Amino acid sequence: MSGTTRQIVEDPRTPRPGSREPRDGQRPAAPRTSPPGSKRPRVSAATLGIPLAYLAVTVFGVWWIDIRPAAVAAGFGDIARLLERMVPPTTGPVSDLLTLALETLWIAIAGTGLATIASVFLAAAASRHFTGPKLVRWLAQGIIIVTRAVPSLIFAILFVRIFGLGPLAGGLAIAVHSIGMIGKMMADVFEEQSPSPREAIASVGASRLQNFVSTTLTRALPAVTSLVIYRLDINVRASAVLGLVGAGGIGVALQTAIGSLNYRRAAGIILVIVALLLILELVAYLVQRAVAEHADEHTQSQLHVAGSTPAAPGWNRSRVLRSAAAASAVILFLYSLSQLSLNLSRLGQAWNNALALLSGFVPPVFTEEILLGIFESVIMAFTATFFGVLVGLVIAVLSTRHLVRFEPLSLALRGIVVFMRGIPDIVYALIFVAALGLGPFAGFLALSISCTALASKFFTDSLQNIDPAPLRALEATGAGRIQVFVSGVWPQFVPSFIGNSLFTSDLALRESAVLGIVGAGGIGFLLDESVATLHYQQTAGILIGLIVVVVALESVARWARRKVI
């Protein structure tokens, strides 16, 4: 609806952007109150069952991976000796490294942009508000599920086989995997919107496309921008290691340095990756603040101020800056596409390679070796999640003011977490494999660090958003900090704790499926070998197995959220 002012003042009954509405057929959740003398409400089965399940899997995983105190102590000694060999870090030719770092950035931007464009259509079709054919909706939902279940590094292996070595394979791998993540989150944003504007536009005879663009998409722009920026941050981390399988970027230099035992240069490359990610994280934070600014003014997606007449939109400093930023983003995206080494001759050959690859997928082969590899990946992921969640919880509690109110400690812990998150999982795996040798123990340690950083970030955010009213009431009765935490903070935190733990497991499972590429256990080694030896039927079996496991885990997560949250 260009040329029409969209300044919508928030109605008290209208949910704020980012808030959740009740699903169709569901009543809003009412405060849980119990009449005097009634029994205390029963604890949800998910609240007890999920932690116990994690504990049981972890006990088995400790035995399976052979995690012994002596082995852990000896392993950390080997890691310490390896780190000594990395000091002082060197970068080698700076111009070459800068070129590869920029190539990593172009891969991430191009892949994220392509995924965003495709996700708008897929999310609209997958949303429960879609009024078109059900077959289209099911197809869109299926594409989102499949692309989300397969890690980007696995897509990179397949696209390298189709398009050859280089950044084109990396950009397409980032794009295809991101479709699943951006599409799912975007569909949730579309579904959470109030139906009143859609119904009003439909009542005046607008087409389905006009209705979607003028109501759903425009109101979702701030939230969509935030999630795309967040996904770009993740994709830079992923694209930084795609060179390990020949898909371009700075990972090529990292693989060469580690393969030639040049650990000082490997350390310098890792520091360059971390610096790049920290800069982008700061940019993402500033952009998210800018696009969320309207929420502070109690408005919904205010695209521009009113002009002299309702049909003449006005211009102010904020709108000029947003328009300039949008134009810059489009130009940057188009430039990044031009850096993917795309040429017509490669595309013609790629079509034949893709047909050969897909025809070789049928019929898929399932072997005992495949099942064992997937099983090991699952055990690694859940065991690492258990330890990561425990350590992450401690860090989160110490980083907030509920128990310990010592600001220097909080800042130090948050800095450590940011640094830990800045190093991709597979880089940790490379270091641990170099220090400890091949096997799932190296993969477990890499995933544990990743899960710790991720869980502590989620838990810290959740603890900071705790409703303070019950805490102040408890403090007014003379309760101490521990009593306030146990009685006021923890009950509010439990749903978020379980939900974020499951989400951490979901991400850990995807990563565990690729760590085997560098020898860190799991199904990754077998997958890489099956593609390299053109055994595509086995590749298909592995991918189907991974999709089934991821979908099963997501089903458990949805059930848990219904029971707990």
Side-chain angles (χ1 to χ4, degrees), residues 15-23 184 188 191-192 561 565:
R16 291 281 301 277
S19 63
R20 291 193 174 271
E21 292 183 85
R23 301 288 187 186
K184 179 182 183 298
D188 291 341
E191 290 181 355
E192 290 167 1
R561 289 186 176 94
I565 302 177

Side-chain angles (χ1 to χ4, degrees), residues 1-275:
M1 293 182 67
S2 59
T4 303
T5 301
R6 290 190 50 78
Q7 183 172 1
I8 305 175
V9 178
E10 187 179 47
D11 189 286
R13 298 165 296 178
T14 303
R16 291 281 301 277
S19 63
R20 291 193 174 271
E21 292 183 85
R23 301 288 187 186
D24 291 341
Q26 293 183 351
R27 297 179 59 186
R32 297 180 180 179
T33 58
S34 300
S38 63
K39 296 181 179 179
R40 296 183 63 182
R42 292 184 302 172
V43 178
S44 168
T47 305
L48 291 177
I50 292 177
L52 290 176
Y54 271 104
L55 179 60
V57 174
T58 301
V59 171
F60 177 80
V62 167
W63 170 79
W64 177 274
I65 302 172
D66 193 21
I67 304 173
R68 292 174 287 107
V72 173
F76 280 114
D78 294 335
I79 294 169
R81 284 187 288 274
L82 176 64
L83 294 178
E84 289 177 359
R85 298 172 63 184
M86 290 183 168
V87 178
T90 59
T91 58
V94 177
S95 58
D96 295 345
L97 198 59
L98 181 60
T99 300
L100 291 174
L102 288 175
E103 186 175 74
T104 295
L105 190 60
W106 304 142
I107 289 173
I109 294 174
T112 306
L114 291 172
T116 302
I117 295 171
S119 295
V120 171
F121 300 97
L122 287 172
S127 169
R128 62 187 175 89
H129 297 310
F130 180 66
T131 57
K134 288 186 177 180
L135 180 61
V136 174
R137 182 183 177 189
W138 293 338
L139 181 61
Q141 291 175 338
I143 293 174
I144 289 175
I145 290 173
V146 171
T147 54
R148 190 170 70 254
V150 180
S152 57
L153 198 61
I154 293 178
F155 278 124
I157 294 173
L158 300 178
F159 285 131
V160 163
R161 176 60 60 181
I162 295 174
F163 296 98
L165 302 174
L168 178 60
L172 292 177
I174 292 292
V176 175
H177 177 66
S178 297
I179 285 174
M181 303 302 293
I182 296 177
K184 179 182 183 298
M185 298 171 71
M186 199 179 290
D188 291 341
V189 172
F190 292 164
E191 290 181 355
E192 290 167 1
Q193 294 182 359
S194 171
S196 301
R198 290 193 303 272
E199 295 169 356
I201 294 296
S203 66
V204 298
S207 67
R208 187 184 303 161
L209 178 61
Q210 290 174 323
N211 196 331
F212 173 74
V213 172
S214 62
T215 61
T216 303
L217 184 59
T218 54
R219 289 189 297 152
L221 278 178
V224 167
T225 304
S226 294
L227 70 90
V228 169
I229 292 296
Y230 172 71
R231 189 65 209 178
L232 176 62
D233 176 73
I234 295 176
N235 285 343
V236 173
R237 300 171 196 273
S239 60
V241 297
L242 293 183
L244 295 174
V245 294
I250 201 170
V252 175
L254 181 62
Q255 182 191 43
T256 303
I258 293 179
S260 61
L261 305 183
N262 190 351
Y263 294 124
R264 292 172 60 187
R265 185 162 193 259
I269 295 171
I270 291 172
L271 291 178
V272 170
I273 294 174
V274 172

